[in-house]
Amino acid sequence: MAAACSGSGPVAAVFGGAAVVLLIGVGTALGYREYRKRQLLSRRWVLSFLKARGLDPEEDADGDVLFLLDNMKYVLHIKEHYFELHIGFGRKRSELNDELMTRMAQEVMSSTRMVKILLRPEAVLFSIECLQCRKSEFAGFFDSYIRILKFSVAEHTRRYNEALEEFHRELRRQREAEYLSQRFSDYQGKDVVN
């Protein structure tokens, strides 16, 4: 820098060139950072993406994006480097068998590998969490996320209903066996006339 100020020609040219290259590099880095920032998933972009698909999204008090698709309500929670897409169903705890629900949830989660199923006292929550943060990735895979969630819901429901029916059949068999056993013990030691 001192050589450039003193007027030394070749040294000043080298330092001047380096300064230009440094400014171009800084400008390019800032431009690339701005470009990448514009490519990132944002709540505003997601709202416009869903509106363009005719899904009539809305934002709730927590900043989550809600939308209705095929009479199912979805919740999209956007974080800085990932998002969560949820679908949930209310349930009455007294009407469901928690042990079967848990077992079927484990089976579906191990078969799909992408979906988490959370059993809460008031609801069953199906969720996909992805480390995607780019608009193009989200748009490209959106339909697949919806299909995977729908499949998981249908598969969990099917497996649960089948397991519950088998559970009830087993209960009926046990009751019948107990009833016959009780009737047999009532007649033991008694003279029976035909």
XYZ file of all heavy atoms in Angstrom, residues 59-149:
752
model
N -52.155 -18.404 7.711
C -51.118 -18.444 8.732
C -51.786 -18.376 10.102
O -52.687 -17.569 10.313
C -50.180 -17.250 8.531
C -48.808 -17.460 9.065
C -47.851 -16.355 8.642
O -48.140 -15.617 7.685
O -46.809 -16.231 9.307
N -51.351 -19.224 11.032
C -51.943 -19.177 12.368
C -51.129 -18.263 13.282
O -50.134 -17.669 12.859
C -52.114 -20.587 12.962
C -50.803 -21.245 13.338
O -49.730 -20.606 13.224
O -50.842 -22.416 13.761
N -51.538 -18.157 14.524
C -50.892 -17.254 15.486
C -49.435 -17.623 15.747
O -48.624 -16.772 16.083
C -51.672 -17.254 16.800
N -49.090 -18.915 15.592
C -47.709 -19.360 15.821
C -46.827 -19.176 14.592
O -45.640 -19.494 14.628
C -47.685 -20.846 16.212
C -48.420 -21.099 17.515
O -48.403 -20.197 18.374
O -49.002 -22.183 17.661
N -47.405 -18.729 13.482
C -46.627 -18.560 12.264
C -46.609 -19.800 11.394
O -45.915 -19.845 10.379
N -47.366 -20.837 11.759
C -47.453 -22.037 10.935
C -48.420 -21.786 9.787
O -49.333 -20.975 9.890
C -47.943 -23.230 11.762
C -46.959 -23.618 12.853
O -45.748 -23.410 12.654
O -47.400 -24.115 13.901
N -48.215 -22.510 8.694
C -49.082 -22.389 7.530
C -50.068 -23.550 7.547
O -49.669 -24.709 7.626
C -48.254 -22.402 6.225
C -49.166 -22.355 5.010
C -47.269 -21.241 6.205
N -51.355 -23.232 7.491
C -52.413 -24.243 7.504
C -53.073 -24.285 6.136
O -53.288 -23.248 5.515
C -53.476 -23.893 8.552
C -52.987 -23.505 9.945
C -54.153 -23.047 10.801
C -52.281 -24.665 10.595
N -53.380 -25.492 5.666
C -54.125 -25.613 4.418
C -54.927 -26.904 4.427
O -54.616 -27.846 5.149
C -53.207 -25.535 3.191
C -52.167 -26.627 3.102
C -52.406 -27.782 2.368
C -50.945 -26.489 3.736
C -51.449 -28.782 2.273
C -49.980 -27.480 3.647
C -50.234 -28.629 2.914
N -55.973 -26.904 3.622
C -56.891 -28.039 3.543
C -56.710 -28.698 2.190
O -56.718 -28.029 1.162
C -58.326 -27.530 3.702
C -59.392 -28.516 4.090
C -59.106 -29.096 5.481
C -60.745 -27.832 4.111
N -56.550 -30.036 2.183
C -56.397 -30.785 0.940
C -57.149 -32.095 1.090
O -56.884 -32.858 2.031
C -54.908 -31.034 0.656
C -54.556 -31.840 -0.584
C -55.049 -31.133 -1.845
C -53.057 -32.055 -0.667
N -58.093 -32.340 0.195
C -58.919 -33.554 0.251
C -59.569 -33.728 1.625
O -59.530 -34.820 2.208
C -58.103 -34.802 -0.113
C -57.554 -34.740 -1.528
O -58.205 -34.116 -2.389
O -56.472 -35.299 -1.764
N -60.116 -32.659 2.152
C -60.811 -32.635 3.449
C -59.906 -33.001 4.623
O -60.391 -33.419 5.672
C -62.037 -33.556 3.432
C -63.084 -33.050 2.478
O -63.318 -31.848 2.391
N -63.699 -33.946 1.741
N -58.602 -32.876 4.459
C -57.659 -33.101 5.555
C -56.879 -31.813 5.788
O -56.417 -31.184 4.840
C -56.705 -34.257 5.239
C -57.381 -35.598 5.238
S -56.174 -36.927 5.265
C -56.278 -37.529 3.600
N -56.752 -31.448 7.055
C -56.061 -30.208 7.407
C -54.581 -30.499 7.653
O -54.228 -31.349 8.468
C -56.680 -29.609 8.660
C -56.192 -28.224 8.971
C -56.954 -27.665 10.148
C -56.776 -26.195 10.271
N -57.627 -25.641 11.316
N -53.721 -29.786 6.943
C -52.276 -29.929 7.069
C -51.710 -28.701 7.774
O -52.221 -27.595 7.626
C -51.619 -30.046 5.693
C -51.946 -31.330 4.982
C -53.128 -31.469 4.268
C -51.078 -32.413 5.034
C -53.439 -32.650 3.620
C -51.374 -33.597 4.382
C -52.555 -33.707 3.679
O -52.858 -34.879 3.043
N -50.631 -28.921 8.509
C -49.923 -27.838 9.180
C -48.469 -27.891 8.723
O -47.822 -28.937 8.821
C -49.992 -27.977 10.722
C -49.213 -26.861 11.393
C -51.428 -27.997 11.202
N -47.976 -26.769 8.209
C -46.592 -26.679 7.744
C -45.836 -25.729 8.660
O -46.192 -24.563 8.779
C -46.556 -26.170 6.299
C -45.193 -26.040 5.650
C -44.491 -27.394 5.569
C -45.337 -25.449 4.258
N -44.824 -26.271 9.331
C -44.009 -25.502 10.271
C -42.647 -25.301 9.621
O -41.939 -26.273 9.349
C -43.899 -26.284 11.584
C -43.150 -25.592 12.639
N -43.648 -24.489 13.301
C -41.923 -25.832 13.164
C -42.751 -24.086 14.192
N -41.705 -24.883 14.118
N -42.281 -24.057 9.347
C -41.036 -23.758 8.641
C -39.996 -23.225 9.612
O -40.243 -22.258 10.332
C -41.281 -22.722 7.524
C -42.341 -23.254 6.559
C -39.985 -22.412 6.788
C -42.867 -22.217 5.612
N -38.847 -23.871 9.618
C -37.694 -23.409 10.401
C -36.632 -22.910 9.430
O -36.807 -22.987 8.211
C -37.132 -24.559 11.245
C -38.010 -24.949 12.404
C -37.890 -23.941 13.482
C -38.417 -24.490 14.792
N -38.365 -23.539 15.846
N -35.491 -22.485 9.965
C -34.454 -21.908 9.111
C -33.898 -22.911 8.104
O -33.711 -22.596 6.940
C -33.315 -21.351 9.966
C -32.305 -20.592 9.163
C -31.238 -19.949 10.022
O -31.385 -19.924 11.260
O -30.257 -19.489 9.438
N -33.618 -24.139 8.521
C -32.989 -25.108 7.618
C -33.836 -26.358 7.384
O -33.354 -27.302 6.782
C -31.623 -25.522 8.155
C -30.660 -24.386 8.206
N -30.175 -23.777 7.074
C -30.119 -23.718 9.252
C -29.355 -22.791 7.425
N -29.309 -22.732 8.745
N -35.038 -26.383 7.875
C -35.891 -27.542 7.638
C -37.347 -27.162 7.825
O -37.679 -26.065 8.242
C -35.506 -28.705 8.554
C -35.978 -28.578 9.980
C -37.129 -29.239 10.404
C -35.284 -27.814 10.913
C -37.563 -29.143 11.711
C -35.716 -27.711 12.217
C -36.857 -28.381 12.611
O -37.281 -28.277 13.899
N -38.221 -28.094 7.478
C -39.646 -27.865 7.694
C -40.271 -29.150 8.217
O -39.709 -30.234 8.083
C -40.341 -27.410 6.404
C -40.465 -28.490 5.375
C -41.544 -29.362 5.384
C -39.497 -28.637 4.399
C -41.653 -30.367 4.451
C -39.597 -29.638 3.453
C -40.682 -30.506 3.482
N -41.441 -29.002 8.807
C -42.234 -30.140 9.280
C -43.618 -29.998 8.659
O -44.203 -28.922 8.692
C -42.383 -30.118 10.803
C -41.085 -30.187 11.559
C -41.267 -29.897 13.045
O -42.423 -29.691 13.489
O -40.253 -29.859 13.737
N -44.118 -31.083 8.095
C -45.456 -31.113 7.534
C -46.253 -32.128 8.339
O -45.856 -33.286 8.454
C -45.414 -31.515 6.057
C -46.743 -31.551 5.312
C -47.415 -30.176 5.313
C -46.527 -32.028 3.881
N -47.356 -31.671 8.939
C -48.143 -32.519 9.843
C -49.573 -32.675 9.337
O -50.111 -31.779 8.702
C -48.269 -31.892 11.243
C -46.987 -31.504 11.868
N -46.111 -32.407 12.411
C -46.420 -30.283 12.046
C -45.065 -31.761 12.902
N -45.228 -30.475 12.687
N -50.151 -33.792 9.704
C -51.590 -34.001 9.569
C -52.010 -34.722 10.837
O -51.321 -35.631 11.297
C -51.939 -34.790 8.296
C -53.436 -34.870 8.122
C -51.321 -36.149 8.292
C -53.846 -35.430 6.770
N -53.090 -34.281 11.427
C -53.498 -34.880 12.697
C -54.977 -35.198 12.738
O -55.762 -34.629 11.990
N -55.312 -36.135 13.593
C -56.705 -36.536 13.768
C -57.026 -36.563 15.242
O -56.294 -37.165 16.037
C -56.943 -37.927 13.166
C -56.650 -37.978 11.700
C -55.407 -38.357 11.238
C -57.610 -37.595 10.784
C -55.120 -38.369 9.896
C -57.341 -37.605 9.433
C -56.097 -37.998 8.987
N -58.124 -35.919 15.607
C -58.573 -35.948 16.989
C -59.035 -37.347 17.354
O -59.463 -38.125 16.499
N -58.901 -37.691 18.615
C -59.348 -39.010 19.057
C -59.863 -38.940 20.477
O -59.420 -38.107 21.265
C -58.226 -40.038 18.955
C -57.092 -39.810 19.941
C -56.030 -40.868 19.779
N -55.141 -40.865 20.924
C -54.567 -41.936 21.414
N -54.793 -43.099 20.886
N -53.766 -41.862 22.437
N -60.779 -39.826 20.773
C -61.253 -39.965 22.145
C -60.502 -41.137 22.742
O -60.602 -42.261 22.261
C -62.752 -40.214 22.168
C -63.563 -39.029 21.708
C -65.035 -39.327 21.772
C -65.831 -38.136 21.269
N -67.251 -38.465 21.149
N -59.724 -40.852 23.742
C -58.854 -41.868 24.332
C -59.626 -43.108 24.757
O -59.152 -44.230 24.617
C -58.117 -41.253 25.523
C -56.950 -42.062 25.973
C -56.155 -41.289 27.027
N -54.971 -42.010 27.340
C -53.811 -41.857 26.733
N -53.702 -40.983 25.768
N -52.770 -42.565 27.070
N -60.834 -42.930 25.248
C -61.606 -44.061 25.756
C -62.017 -45.019 24.639
O -62.286 -46.179 24.880
C -62.848 -43.558 26.485
O -63.633 -42.799 25.597
N -62.062 -44.515 23.403
C -62.530 -45.350 22.300
C -61.410 -46.154 21.652
O -61.677 -47.012 20.820
C -63.185 -44.474 21.230
C -64.455 -43.801 21.709
C -65.033 -42.876 20.658
O -64.444 -42.758 19.565
O -66.066 -42.261 20.940
N -60.171 -45.880 21.978
C -59.060 -46.517 21.280
C -58.207 -47.357 22.223
O -58.098 -47.074 23.399
C -58.189 -45.454 20.608
C -58.908 -44.607 19.565
C -58.001 -43.508 19.079
C -59.370 -45.455 18.396
N -57.596 -48.358 21.649
C -56.699 -49.228 22.388
C -55.276 -48.685 22.217
O -54.683 -48.811 21.139
C -56.824 -50.649 21.836
C -55.981 -51.635 22.587
O -54.813 -51.395 22.849
N -56.579 -52.768 22.922
N -54.738 -48.082 23.273
C -53.424 -47.431 23.176
C -52.308 -48.404 22.815
O -51.401 -48.054 22.068
C -53.081 -46.722 24.491
C -53.835 -45.423 24.650
O -54.264 -44.864 23.627
O -53.994 -44.956 25.791
N -52.374 -49.606 23.341
C -51.319 -50.585 23.046
C -51.298 -50.931 21.558
O -50.237 -50.949 20.931
C -51.548 -51.854 23.871
C -50.474 -52.896 23.665
C -50.789 -54.186 24.417
O -51.419 -54.139 25.480
O -50.398 -55.243 23.893
N -52.471 -51.155 20.973
C -52.545 -51.446 19.537
C -52.143 -50.224 18.706
O -51.466 -50.357 17.693
C -53.954 -51.884 19.144
C -54.395 -53.276 19.587
C -55.819 -53.562 19.128
C -53.452 -54.340 19.074
N -52.582 -49.043 19.123
C -52.220 -47.824 18.394
C -50.707 -47.665 18.341
O -50.143 -47.354 17.295
C -52.831 -46.588 19.068
C -54.317 -46.445 18.903
S -54.812 -46.093 17.226
C -54.531 -44.347 17.163
N -50.053 -47.893 19.469
C -48.601 -47.749 19.547
C -47.914 -48.788 18.676
O -46.971 -48.474 17.933
C -48.131 -47.875 21.009
O -48.797 -46.870 21.781
C -46.642 -47.696 21.132
N -48.376 -50.026 18.749
C -47.751 -51.092 17.959
C -47.903 -50.834 16.466
O -46.946 -50.983 15.696
C -48.358 -52.449 18.338
C -47.497 -53.598 17.861
C -47.970 -54.916 18.392
N -49.146 -55.321 17.624
C -50.163 -55.992 18.100
N -50.193 -56.347 19.367
N -51.174 -56.331 17.346
N -49.089 -50.413 16.036
C -49.308 -50.130 14.615
C -48.503 -48.907 14.172
O -47.987 -48.868 13.061
C -50.797 -49.918 14.329
C -51.659 -51.136 14.565
S -51.060 -52.620 13.738
C -50.525 -53.611 15.118
N -48.377 -47.917 15.044
C -47.565 -46.733 14.719
C -46.113 -47.146 14.494
O -45.474 -46.702 13.534
C -47.665 -45.697 15.828
N -45.591 -48.021 15.346
C -44.211 -48.499 15.188
C -44.036 -49.253 13.870
O -43.040 -49.073 13.170
C -43.819 -49.407 16.368
C -43.687 -48.702 17.691
C -42.592 -47.659 17.684
O -41.582 -47.795 17.015
N -42.795 -46.588 18.429
N -45.014 -50.099 13.533
C -44.931 -50.858 12.286
C -44.937 -49.937 11.063
O -44.149 -50.117 10.145
C -46.107 -51.841 12.185
C -45.981 -53.041 13.085
C -47.150 -54.008 12.929
O -47.916 -53.892 11.944
O -47.287 -54.890 13.811
N -45.828 -48.952 11.070
C -45.920 -48.040 9.924
C -44.663 -47.180 9.829
O -44.125 -46.978 8.739
C -47.189 -47.162 10.010
C -47.182 -46.070 8.952
C -48.428 -48.022 9.877
N -44.155 -46.709 10.960
C -42.940 -45.880 10.931
C -41.757 -46.676 10.395
O -40.947 -46.165 9.638
C -42.633 -45.316 12.320
C -43.542 -44.171 12.708
S -43.043 -43.285 14.203
C -43.280 -44.508 15.466
N -41.644 -47.972 10.785
C -40.507 -48.733 10.269
C -40.692 -49.104 8.808
O -39.714 -49.276 8.109
C -40.188 -49.969 11.088
O -41.245 -50.522 11.706
N -41.922 -49.149 8.317
C -42.103 -49.487 6.905
C -41.967 -48.259 6.004
O -41.497 -48.376 4.883
C -43.442 -50.180 6.673
O -44.504 -49.298 6.886
N -42.372 -47.088 6.464
C -42.263 -45.889 5.615
C -40.944 -45.163 5.807
O -40.437 -44.545 4.894
C -43.406 -44.890 5.900
O -43.351 -44.489 7.254
C -44.740 -45.466 5.556
N -40.397 -45.181 7.000
C -39.112 -44.569 7.362
C -39.079 -43.040 7.297
O -38.187 -42.437 7.817
C -37.980 -45.119 6.514
C -37.869 -46.590 6.563
C -36.476 -47.012 6.907
N -36.394 -48.451 6.880
C -36.150 -49.175 7.947
N -35.944 -48.611 9.090
N -36.094 -50.467 7.867
N -40.022 -42.415 6.633
C -40.005 -40.948 6.535
C -40.975 -40.289 7.489
O -40.890 -39.100 7.736
C -40.382 -40.511 5.117
C -39.243 -40.529 4.147
S -39.695 -39.749 2.598
C -39.654 -38.023 3.022
N -41.929 -41.055 7.991
C -43.023 -40.477 8.763
C -42.885 -40.810 10.234
O -42.564 -41.937 10.594
C -44.382 -41.000 8.233
C -45.531 -40.503 9.076
C -44.574 -40.589 6.786
N -43.105 -39.803 11.057
C -43.204 -40.009 12.504
C -44.679 -40.003 12.857
O -45.434 -39.184 12.339
C -42.523 -38.878 13.272
C -41.034 -38.879 13.211
C -40.516 -37.741 14.073
C -39.011 -37.650 13.998
N -38.514 -36.495 14.750
N -45.053 -40.905 13.755
C -46.434 -40.923 14.233
C -46.389 -40.707 15.737
O -45.782 -41.497 16.456
C -47.139 -42.254 13.897
C -47.104 -42.496 12.387
C -48.575 -42.229 14.411
C -47.621 -43.854 11.966
N -46.993 -39.618 16.165
C -47.017 -39.284 17.584
C -48.419 -39.527 18.121
O -49.398 -39.057 17.542
C -46.634 -37.819 17.792
C -45.280 -37.400 17.221
C -45.113 -35.899 17.300
C -44.166 -38.099 17.953
N -48.497 -40.269 19.206
C -49.787 -40.537 19.832
C -49.916 -39.633 21.042
O -49.179 -39.774 22.011
C -49.882 -42.009 20.244
C -49.670 -43.007 19.113
C -49.679 -44.418 19.648
C -50.723 -42.834 18.046
N -50.821 -38.704 20.949
C -51.081 -37.790 22.054
C -52.435 -38.135 22.641
O -53.263 -38.755 21.961
C -51.054 -36.356 21.538
C -49.670 -35.987 21.010
C -49.588 -34.541 20.668
N -48.222 -34.196 20.354
C -47.879 -33.171 19.626
N -48.806 -32.377 19.139
N -46.623 -32.905 19.391
N -52.677 -37.726 23.866
C -53.976 -38.067 24.476
C -55.169 -37.608 23.644
O -56.169 -38.294 23.569
C -53.943 -37.342 25.815
C -52.500 -37.156 26.114
C -51.808 -37.015 24.790
N -55.036 -36.465 22.973
C -56.183 -35.913 22.256
C -56.110 -36.111 20.745
O -57.053 -35.808 20.031
C -56.338 -34.417 22.566
C -55.280 -33.516 21.957
C -53.890 -33.596 22.593
O -53.743 -34.196 23.666
O -52.952 -33.056 22.005
N -54.965 -36.611 20.229
C -54.825 -36.707 18.769
C -53.750 -37.710 18.368
O -52.879 -38.063 19.164
C -54.478 -35.341 18.199
N -53.843 -38.128 17.103
C -52.782 -38.907 16.454
C -52.184 -37.973 15.416
O -52.896 -37.425 14.575
C -53.350 -40.160 15.755
C -52.235 -40.957 15.099
C -54.118 -41.024 16.731
N -50.867 -37.757 15.474
C -50.195 -36.801 14.604
C -49.219 -37.531 13.688
O -48.344 -38.254 14.152
C -49.453 -35.763 15.456
C -48.808 -34.609 14.730
C -49.873 -33.700 14.133
C -47.938 -33.808 15.692
N -49.386 -37.343 12.376
C -48.482 -37.900 11.367
C -47.619 -36.750 10.874
O -48.135 -35.683 10.557
C -49.273 -38.488 10.206
C -50.117 -39.673 10.593
C -51.322 -39.505 11.247
C -49.684 -40.955 10.306
C -52.098 -40.590 11.607
C -50.460 -42.058 10.663
C -51.664 -41.876 11.315
N -46.307 -36.977 10.776
C -45.414 -35.866 10.492
C -44.242 -36.290 9.609
O -43.682 -37.365 9.786
C -44.886 -35.320 11.826
O -43.919 -34.346 11.633
N -43.881 -35.407 8.664
C -42.656 -35.554 7.871
C -41.783 -34.365 8.226
O -42.249 -33.224 8.240
C -42.949 -35.532 6.361
C -43.617 -36.828 5.929
C -41.679 -35.317 5.556
C -43.913 -36.908 4.450
N -40.521 -34.633 8.508
C -39.561 -33.557 8.767
C -38.435 -33.687 7.756
O -37.884 -34.766 7.581
C -38.997 -33.673 10.182
C -40.055 -33.512 11.247
C -39.505 -33.684 12.654
O -38.272 -33.749 12.813
O -40.311 -33.771 13.581
N -38.109 -32.595 7.075
C -37.064 -32.620 6.053
C -36.081 -31.483 6.264
O -36.463 -30.385 6.644
C -37.665 -32.488 4.664
S -38.478 -33.974 4.108
N -34.826 -31.767 5.949
C -33.784 -30.749 6.055
C -33.711 -29.892 4.796
O -32.719 -29.256 4.546
C -32.427 -31.412 6.301
C -32.244 -31.978 7.691
C -30.950 -32.777 7.778
C -32.251 -30.883 8.738
N -34.731 -29.902 4.004
C -34.750 -29.065 2.815
C -35.014 -27.620 3.192
O -35.835 -27.342 4.052
C -35.845 -29.521 1.861
C -35.528 -30.810 1.182
C -36.629 -31.209 0.233
O -37.679 -30.590 0.208
N -36.391 -32.234 -0.536
N -34.311 -26.744 2.524
C -34.569 -25.333 2.790
C -34.680 -24.534 1.496
O -34.842 -23.337 1.526
C -33.476 -24.759 3.687
S -31.832 -24.966 3.039
N -34.619 -25.224 0.326
C -34.721 -24.513 -0.943
C -36.120 -24.626 -1.531
O -36.758 -25.666 -1.446
C -33.706 -25.064 -1.939
C -32.335 -24.527 -1.687
C -31.467 -24.692 -2.904
N -30.317 -25.492 -2.516
C -29.810 -26.469 -3.226
N -30.335 -26.786 -4.380
N -28.781 -27.139 -2.801
N -36.561 -23.552 -2.148
C -37.886 -23.511 -2.754
C -38.045 -24.608 -3.803
O -39.075 -25.286 -3.851
C -38.112 -22.155 -3.423
C -38.099 -20.981 -2.472
C -38.123 -19.684 -3.267
C -37.981 -18.496 -2.348
N -37.864 -17.234 -3.076
N -37.033 -24.776 -4.652
C -37.132 -25.744 -5.750
C -37.294 -27.166 -5.228
O -38.060 -27.951 -5.784
C -35.898 -25.649 -6.649
O -34.725 -25.888 -5.885
N -36.585 -27.508 -4.157
C -36.704 -28.853 -3.587
C -38.100 -29.065 -3.016
O -38.724 -30.102 -3.220
C -35.670 -29.057 -2.478
C -34.250 -29.114 -2.972
C -33.247 -29.110 -1.836
O -33.594 -28.687 -0.714
O -32.110 -29.532 -2.065
N -38.585 -28.085 -2.285
C -39.916 -28.191 -1.682
C -40.973 -28.344 -2.772
O -41.830 -29.227 -2.686
C -40.201 -26.953 -0.825
C -41.552 -26.991 -0.166
C -41.719 -27.665 1.035
C -42.652 -26.374 -0.745
C -42.966 -27.707 1.653
C -43.896 -26.421 -0.134
C -44.049 -27.086 1.068
N -40.921 -27.504 -3.800
C -41.906 -27.560 -4.884
C -41.832 -28.893 -5.616
O -42.864 -29.484 -5.948
C -41.683 -26.399 -5.853
N -40.617 -29.388 -5.831
C -40.442 -30.637 -6.565
C -40.950 -31.863 -5.819
O -41.395 -32.829 -6.436
N -40.875 -31.838 -4.501
C -41.249 -33.017 -3.709
C -42.580 -32.870 -2.969
O -42.995 -33.788 -2.276
C -40.142 -33.336 -2.696
C -38.898 -33.877 -3.331
C -37.789 -33.065 -3.500
C -38.839 -35.189 -3.756
C -36.639 -33.562 -4.095
C -37.698 -35.694 -4.343
C -36.591 -34.881 -4.520
N -43.240 -31.726 -3.100
C -44.455 -31.464 -2.335
C -45.502 -32.562 -2.508
O -46.049 -33.079 -1.535
C -45.043 -30.099 -2.716
C -46.306 -29.770 -1.999
C -46.281 -29.364 -0.668
C -47.543 -29.874 -2.637
C -47.458 -29.065 0.005
C -48.712 -29.575 -1.966
C -48.666 -29.175 -0.643
N -45.806 -32.927 -3.761
C -46.821 -33.961 -4.005
C -46.418 -35.295 -3.372
O -47.266 -36.031 -2.877
C -47.068 -34.137 -5.502
C -47.766 -32.922 -6.111
O -48.553 -32.270 -5.400
O -47.508 -32.623 -7.290
N -45.136 -35.597 -3.390
C -44.658 -36.845 -2.776
C -44.858 -36.820 -1.264
O -45.243 -37.832 -0.678
C -43.174 -37.060 -3.082
O -42.987 -37.217 -4.461
N -44.599 -35.676 -0.635
C -44.805 -35.574 0.817
C -46.271 -35.834 1.162
O -46.575 -36.556 2.110
C -44.414 -34.188 1.338
C -42.981 -33.808 1.119
C -42.641 -32.510 0.765
C -41.968 -34.738 1.260
C -41.321 -32.151 0.556
C -40.635 -34.382 1.048
C -40.330 -33.087 0.694
O -39.036 -32.729 0.495
N -47.162 -35.248 0.374
C -48.595 -35.430 0.619
C -48.968 -36.901 0.445
O -49.682 -37.475 1.273
C -49.432 -34.526 -0.318
C -49.153 -33.037 -0.045
C -50.919 -34.840 -0.189
C -49.547 -32.537 1.317
N -48.491 -37.537 -0.644
C -48.791 -38.957 -0.876
C -48.276 -39.836 0.252
O -48.955 -40.760 0.712
C -48.178 -39.420 -2.201
C -49.066 -39.213 -3.393
C -48.608 -40.000 -4.613
N -47.210 -39.841 -4.943
C -46.712 -38.851 -5.682
N -47.501 -37.922 -6.145
N -45.432 -38.788 -5.950
N -47.065 -39.553 0.729
C -46.481 -40.355 1.812
C -47.308 -40.215 3.084
O -47.578 -41.201 3.779
C -45.011 -39.940 2.052
C -44.143 -40.378 0.871
C -44.477 -40.528 3.351
C -42.775 -39.739 0.832
N -47.715 -38.989 3.410
C -48.541 -38.797 4.606
C -49.890 -39.499 4.467
O -50.343 -40.179 5.389
C -48.752 -37.306 4.886
C -47.600 -36.599 5.579
C -47.857 -35.095 5.647
C -47.365 -37.151 6.965
